[in-house]
Structure formats: structure tokens, C-alpha cells
């Protein structure tokens, strides 16, 4: 027996944190199509691997109303699996929730869509009897512990639980469960959806989130994909397979006594050195030691992106944002420590700081922030200014 566990396709998802007017048209089209291409990768892998069935554990679409183009794409991909005699078992999650009984959704004959109440589908595969249990969301939020409605393992050779939800201790309203809840059912594999990072919650039996198949913003960095489960003589071999078309990632560059031209050259050299095999959307952090940059954030980012446009056909990278990080280990070599300490104690007092900031402190959230953070912040700024680094504190 061989099957695929995938979840959180989020077809037609909008990408967050990107300005479409700053991105080359060719790249923007690649970004828009990335979730579709990632799912096509799963379908093609399933056919090539000759899997027996696929589990799709919720949030297949990014919203509850799909455009005809998106739904037609999804249907056609499922129909490719139908032609290859590959079954598909799917549930809807909190993004694509649907009243199944009232809908007129049409799917190929190889697809089984679980209803809004927990149910079990049993079928024969070679000489084994397989059971799969799951349900689809009818509403965006489900506070009930739907896991309580899952039956104990029945008289079958292998039983799988499909569940789109989160652990009860997270406080989310998405069909909460505990790991013990899952273990109590005595199932042989749990295919979870909802969390966008692949993670294993238990070894035996295996309980997995497969993660989403394509990162959609900077907090979904790194490779995304699906799990391939191969059962041989009762033993499960589980492997992660990448489907991401685009990778969100971070890149750190150290700069010291360099002009803008040298900084961009260093960045481009690092990007070429990394030899990205697929498109990477990068947030670049410039580590600053002591000397200032005589250029603003927006101006430097614009120059970097203009350079990337010229080299676009030779690269698999785009810098969507940059950050400046001040080295916390800077030394005040030109100031006697005793003099600095005396001055800081007499000048940078909380009373002086609060007096200067009194026009802002009428707001509670600013008042609290000033109470907690402002003294350390201004001390650090004063040190850097004395070293000639005026105006280069990250405003965030």
C-alpha cells in the first residue's frame, strides 16, 4: 500500500507582503500560479509513484467561493488521477468550508468527499481492508471536539484518521484535539491539516501535519510539500517530498565601510553563489557594525530591485524587502567608560525621557512602551550617534 498525505493547498491564495507594481510581470505570473503548479506536482508525482490513493486534509481552496477557473483546474487535476486509477479522499477545512448536503459540487468518480458529520469509508485494496474516517467543515469555526465522534478502529487491516484542526492547548476554534484523543482511537495513521509546517506529533502510530504545499508569505519560509507513505509488511516508510515552486527565505549580508555600489555587488555575488535551483523570494538583512549607510531603506531597495531586473533571466531570486540590523557588540573606543557612565546616569534618566516625551505619553500603549523600552533604546542610539552612525536605527 502506498499513499500521499497532503493538505492546505490554498488554491488561488493571495500572496501577502508583495507589491505587484514592483515585481517583474514574469515573476508575478509565476507567484500567482505557484499554488496551482505545486498541486500539479503532487498529481504528477502520484501518477509516477503509482500510489493507491491520496488524502487531501482540508483547506484545498483559499476561500469558500472559488472562481470557475480555479474549480475547473482542480477538477481536471483530479480527473488525471481518475485516469490513473488513483483514489482521492478529501475533506474541507476552515477556509473552504461547505454545507455538503446542500451543495451541488461535482467531482470525478475516483473522489470521495467526506460530509459535515464524521463518517468512515471502507474499501478493499489488494488483500487488505482499509478504513478512512473524517469530516468536512460546514462553518469557518468549529469549537466542538469533533474527535469525540470518531469511532474506535473497526475490524479492518488499516485505519486512517483525517482531521483538519489544532491541538486543544492552542486556543484556536478549529476542531480542537489532544494527542491522547487521537491515540485512544487506535488508528494506524493520522493525516492532519491546518498547520502549515510539516511536523510529526507522534511516532507510533504516526501522527503528522503534512504542512502546506506552497509558502504564501515570509512566515511560511522554506520548502513545502507532501508526505509519501509506503506500507510494506506492516511497516511504514514516510518521506517528505517538496512541491514548492517558490521559496520564501532570508539572507544576511555583513557591511562595513562600503558604499552603495559595493553593497549591491556583495549581495549579487552572494545570490549567484547560492545557485538557487528555484525562485527564492528574499528578505535581506544588512548587518551594520559602526559606519552609517548614507542611503535610505527605500532608495537602497529600489537600487537592488533595479539591478535584479537587469539580471532577472540569470537568477532565481527576488529581494522583496531589506532590513538593517545594528551590531549589538559595538565598542565605544573613543569614550572613556567612566565618563560615559556618569553622563548617561545624569542625562538619560527616566524623568528626563518622560518629560521630553510627555506629548505622546497621554496614549496608554505609548506610555507603557516608554516605561519599558525607551531608556535602553535612547542609550543605544546615543552610543551610535557618538560613533557617527546618525539616523540608522531601525524605526521598527
Amino acid at each position: 500500500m502506498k499513499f500521499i498525505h497532503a493538505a492546505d493547498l490554498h488554491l488561488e491564495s493571495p500572496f501577502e507582503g508583495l507589491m505587484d507594481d514592483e515585481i517583474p510581470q514574469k515573476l508575478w505570473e509565476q507567484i500567482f500560479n505557484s499554488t496551482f503548479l505545486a498541486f500539479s506536482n503532487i498529481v504528477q508525482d502520484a501518477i509516477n509513484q503509482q500510489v493507491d490513493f491520496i488524502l487531501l486534509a482540508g483547506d484545498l481552496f483559499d476561500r469558500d467561493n472559488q472562481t470557475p477557473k480555479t474549480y475547473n483546474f482542480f477538477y481536471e487535476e483530479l480527473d488525471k488521477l481518475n485516469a490513473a486509477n488513483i483514489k482521492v479522499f478529501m475533506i474541507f477545512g476552515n477556509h473552504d468550508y461547505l454545507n455538503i448536503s446542500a451543495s451541488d459540487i461535482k467531482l470525478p468518480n475516483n473522489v470521495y468527499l467526506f460530509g459535515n458529520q464524521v463518517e468512515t469509508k471502507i474499501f478493499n485494496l489488494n488483500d487488505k481492508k482499509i478504513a478512512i474516517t473524517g469530516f468536512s467543515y460546514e462553518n469557518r469555526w468549529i469549537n466542538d471536539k469533533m474527535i469525540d465522534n470518531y469511532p474506535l478502529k473497526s475490524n479492518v487491516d488499516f485505519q486512517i484518521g483525517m482531521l483538519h484542526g489544532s491541538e486543544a492547548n492552542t486556543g484556536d476554534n478549529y476542531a480542537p484535539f489532544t494527542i491522547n484523543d487521537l491515540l485512544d482511537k487506535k488508528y494506524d495513521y493520522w493525516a492532519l491539516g491546518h498547520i502549515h509546517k510539516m511536523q510529526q506529533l507522534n511516532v507510533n502510530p504516526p501522527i503528522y501535519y503534512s504542512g502546506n504545499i506552497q509558502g504564501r508569505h515570509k512566515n511560511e519560509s522554506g520548502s513545502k510539500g507532501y508526505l509519501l507513505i509506503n506500507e510494506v509488511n506492516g511497516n511504514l516508510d514516510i518521506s517528505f517530498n517538496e512541491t514548492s515552486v517558490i521559496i520564501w527565505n532570508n539572507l544576511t549580508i555583513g557591511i562595513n565601510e562600503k558604499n552603495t555600489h559595493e553593497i549591491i555587488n556583495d549581495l549579487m555575488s552572494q545570490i549567484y553563489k547560492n545557485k538557487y535551483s528555484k525562485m527564492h523570494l528574499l528578505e535581506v538583512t544588512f548587518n551594520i557594525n559602526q559606519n552609517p549607510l548614507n542611503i535610505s531603506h527605500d532608495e537602497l531597495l529600489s537600487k537592488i530591485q533595479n539591478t535584479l531586473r537587469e539580471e532577472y533571466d540569470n537568477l532565481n531570486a527576488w529581494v522583496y524587502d531589506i532590513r538593517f540590523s545594528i551590531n549589538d557588540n559595538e565598542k565605544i573606543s573613543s569614550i572613556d567608560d567612566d565618563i560615559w557612565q556618569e553622563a548617561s546616569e545624569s542625562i538619560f534618566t527616566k524623568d528626563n525621557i518622560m518629560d521630553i516625551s510627555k506629548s505622546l505619553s497621554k496614549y496608554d500603549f505609548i506610555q507603557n512602551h516608554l516605561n519599558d523600552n525607551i531608556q535602553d533604546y535612547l542609550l543605544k542610539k546615543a552610543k551610535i550617534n557618538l560613533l557617527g552612525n546618525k539616523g540608522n536605527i531601525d524605526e521598527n
Side-chain angles (χ1 to χ4, degrees):
M1 178 177 63
K2 186 188 294 185
F3 63 92
I4 282 175
H5 165 201
D8 298 280
L9 316 182
H10 286 278
L11 297 178
E12 206 175 17
S13 172
F15 273 62
E16 301 174 6
L18 297 175
M19 301 294 291
D20 56 357
D21 57 343
E22 297 174 351
I23 298 177
Q25 181 63 29
K26 183 178 179 181
L27 174 57
W28 185 249
E29 292 174 359
Q30 185 179 4
I31 292 170
F32 178 80
N33 291 320
S34 61
T35 55
F36 298 94
L37 294 173
F39 183 56
S40 293
N41 289 340
I42 294 177
V43 170
Q44 191 57 53
D45 284 358
I47 295 171
N48 293 342
Q49 292 276 356
Q50 296 181 321
V51 303
D52 297 300
F53 56 90
I54 293 180
L55 310 174
L56 298 178
D59 282 0
L60 315 182
F61 303 100
D62 194 62
R63 55 193 182 195
D64 56 320
N65 285 315
Q66 299 82 46
T67 63
K69 180 179 179 180
T70 297
Y71 184 78
N72 288 339
F73 162 82
F74 186 61
Y75 187 98
E76 289 171 1
E77 291 298 312
L78 296 179
D79 207 31
K80 292 177 184 177
L81 297 170
N82 190 26
N85 294 316
I86 297 173
K87 299 178 184 295
V88 178
F89 299 91
M90 57 184 254
I91 60 177
F92 286 146
N94 56 291
H95 273 258
D96 51 4
Y97 61 94
L98 181 69
N99 184 329
I100 304 297
S101 61
S103 73
D104 58 354
I105 186 170
K106 293 180 174 58
L107 296 165
N109 293 331
N110 61 319
V111 179
Y112 185 83
L113 173 61
F114 288 85
N116 298 129
Q117 302 300 318
V118 174
E119 58 181 305
T120 300
K121 175 67 174 177
I122 299 177
F123 62 99
N124 293 316
L125 181 63
N126 300 324
D127 57 345
K128 288 183 170 62
K129 182 178 287 189
I130 312 297
I132 302 177
T133 302
F135 78 95
S136 291
Y137 279 53
E138 184 176 358
N139 302 296
R140 184 176 296 277
W141 293 283
I142 295 183
N143 297 314
D144 297 336
K145 288 189 68 176
M146 296 295 289
I147 184 62
D148 292 343
N149 299 327
Y150 281 61
L152 295 175
K153 181 179 178 179
S154 56
N155 185 25
V156 295
D157 297 295
F158 197 88
Q159 184 148 359
I160 297 170
M162 296 180 68
L163 176 60
H164 191 91
S166 55
E167 291 188 74
N169 57 10
T170 64
D172 289 339
N173 302 313
Y174 304 113
F177 64 87
T178 67
I179 294 176
N180 283 335
D181 289 334
L182 306 185
L183 296 177
D184 288 344
K185 303 302 178 180
K186 308 299 181 183
Y187 291 4
D188 300 286
Y189 183 88
W190 278 96
L192 305 180
H194 183 60
I195 302 300
H196 289 186
K197 181 179 180 180
M198 191 280 287
Q199 53 187 290
Q200 182 182 30
L201 301 188
N202 195 70
V203 176
N204 186 26
I207 301 175
Y208 275 93
Y209 281 108
S210 61
N212 57 344
I213 65 172
Q214 170 61 60
R216 302 169 303 138
H217 49 74
K218 68 178 184 179
N219 292 331
E220 296 180 352
S221 60
S223 298
K224 302 293 182 178
Y226 66 88
L227 294 171
L228 177 66
I229 298 91
N230 191 11
E231 184 270 336
V232 179
N233 297 325
N235 297 315
L236 298 183
D237 177 63
I238 302 172
S239 60
F240 174 80
N241 293 264
E242 185 178 342
T243 58
S244 306
V245 176
I246 294 172
I247 305 290
W248 295 76
N249 218 331
N250 302 307
L251 185 62
T252 299
I253 303 289
I255 56 177
N256 186 20
E257 298 184 9
K258 294 180 179 180
N259 59 39
T260 303
H261 179 72
E262 291 173 324
I263 291 170
I264 294 177
N265 279 346
D266 283 357
L267 172 59
M268 295 299 293
S269 295
Q270 186 62 53
I271 290 175
Y272 271 106
K273 181 180 178 180
N274 288 346
K275 296 180 180 179
Y276 297 123
S277 61
K278 58 182 60 179
M279 177 56 65
H280 277 58
L281 299 177
L282 300 172
E283 181 181 55
V284 177
T285 298
F286 291 109
N287 279 340
I288 304 171
N289 290 326
Q290 294 184 0
N291 291 328
L293 287 176
N294 295 315
I295 187 172
S296 69
H297 168 282
D298 291 348
E299 186 179 357
L300 179 56
L301 179 59
S302 178
K303 287 181 179 292
I304 290 171
Q305 290 178 339
N306 286 338
T307 302
L308 287 170
R309 283 190 184 89
E310 296 173 1
E311 301 287 327
Y312 180 74
D313 290 336
N314 300 318
L315 295 172
N316 272 321
W318 180 259
V319 176
Y320 68 89
D321 200 6
I322 59 174
R323 299 176 64 250
F324 302 129
S325 178
I326 305 298
N327 190 339
D328 289 331
N329 298 320
E330 71 271 5
K331 296 180 180 178
I332 312 173
S333 58
S334 60
I335 304 175
D336 182 85
D337 287 339
D338 293 337
I339 297 174
W340 167 259
Q341 186 66 29
E342 182 179 350
S344 65
E345 289 175 356
S346 61
I347 296 173
F348 293 101
T349 66
K350 179 171 287 190
D351 288 341
N352 286 344
I353 293 170
M354 297 307 294
D355 183 61
I356 294 170
S357 62
K358 62 185 177 182
S359 63
L360 298 176
S361 60
K362 62 183 179 181
Y363 301 103
D364 289 342
F365 72 96
I366 294 179
Q367 175 76 30
N368 293 334
H369 182 73
L370 291 174
N371 285 334
D372 295 339
N373 303 312
I374 195 66
Q375 192 164 7
D376 290 340
Y377 174 84
L378 289 182
L379 282 170
K380 182 177 181 181
K381 183 173 182 180
K383 291 181 185 180
I384 294 169
N385 284 346
L386 286 167
L387 289 168
N389 286 338
K390 295 181 180 179
N392 288 289
I393 299 287
D394 186 349
E395 292 299 330
N396 293 323

